[in-house]
Amino acid sequence: MAARLAGVTHKRLTLLLVLDNVGATASGACTGRVLLGLKKRGFGQGKLNGFGGKVEAGETVAEAAARELEEEAGIKATDAVKCGMLHFEFEDDPTWLEVHVFRATQYTGNPSESDEMRPEWFEAAQIPFEKMWLDDKYWFPLLLKGSDFSGYFLFRGHDSILQYALTETILPLEELLALAPTTPSSQ
């Protein structure tokens, strides 16, 4: 495993998802809403996503997640909790993205558009995965059901997943990579 990670650098990022009354009915149907933002510029432009970005020098990942949510959506999460860890490798790129995922159910303020994101509420049962990153359809259901999770995704470009590994617990990267990878059947 050490050989696989030799020469790899990691870029620390955050992602915060705001959930409103998300749960499940007795039949298992998802209820509630999720706040997503349409990325207006930069990496991921044109895709719907949660709110987040780079961890600045001297910031914890939790502080960065809170700052990014306020900058991008104009609201402050009051109960953000880390729930996931996602690792993204892009073919032929030695820099992997290390994304610390948070969920929040309480916030102050009203979601408002920024230079970078246009927030919009979506019904949890009707998440528009076709307008999001390909990996979201794999880990997002775990977020919605309240699970902690870890994921690794190997991308070719931005529109093709070659392999992934996903588990319902937060694992160190070395343990996650030791899991048998899955090859998506369709994108």
Side-chain angles (χ1 to χ4, degrees):
M1 199 52 57
R4 169 111 190 255
L5 296 175
V8 170
T9 58
H10 299 269
K11 183 176 182 180
R12 285 185 353 155
L13 302 167
T14 64
L15 185 63
L16 197 157
L17 286 298
V18 179
L19 311 178
D20 179 38
N21 292 313
V22 169
T25 64
S27 66
C30 202
T31 61
R33 312 183 297 168
V34 179
L35 185 65
L36 298 173
L38 178 66
K39 185 84 159 127
K40 294 166 53 177
R41 61 184 166 103
F43 187 73
Q45 181 176 355
K47 294 186 185 292
L48 288 168
N49 203 1
F51 304 89
K54 298 175 198 156
V55 178
E56 303 290 342
E59 266 185 328
T60 66
V61 290
E63 290 166 342
R67 175 185 51 76
E68 290 282 353
L69 178 66
E70 187 171 6
E71 289 174 3
E72 294 178 349
I75 59 176
K76 292 182 181 183
T78 58
D79 68 344
V81 175
K82 186 172 176 177
C83 61
M85 198 62 196
L86 297 172
H87 301 272
F88 298 96
E89 177 183 5
F90 293 87
E91 205 174 43
D92 301 321
D93 188 340
T95 301
W96 291 23
L97 305 182
E98 173 188 299
V99 181
H100 299 256
V101 184
F102 293 80
R103 75 167 62 86
T105 59
Q106 302 292 315
Y107 63 92
T108 60
N110 293 309
S112 58
E113 188 169 348
S114 66
D115 290 344
E116 194 168 344
M117 299 284 269
R118 183 172 52 238
E120 183 179 344
W121 288 104
F122 291 88
E123 293 299 318
Q126 298 174 349
I127 301 296
F129 290 116
E130 71 282 359
K131 297 178 182 176
M132 299 168 72
W133 285 98
L134 286 177
D135 60 278
D136 291 358
K137 66 183 175 186
Y138 297 104
W139 61 264
F140 218 88
L142 299 176
L143 172 96
L144 292 176
K145 78 176 196 176
S147 295
D148 288 347
F149 55 89
S150 293
Y152 159 79
F153 297 88
L154 171 59
F155 274 82
R156 174 174 287 148
H158 293 168
D159 297 314
S160 179
I161 296 174
L162 301 178
Q163 292 183 338
Y164 72 95
L166 189 62
T167 183
E168 282 192 66
T169 186
I170 297 177
L171 292 177
L173 178 57
E174 295 78 11
E175 290 181 37
L176 185 60
L177 291 175
L179 297 174
T182 302
T183 303
S185 57
S186 67
Q187 306 277 322

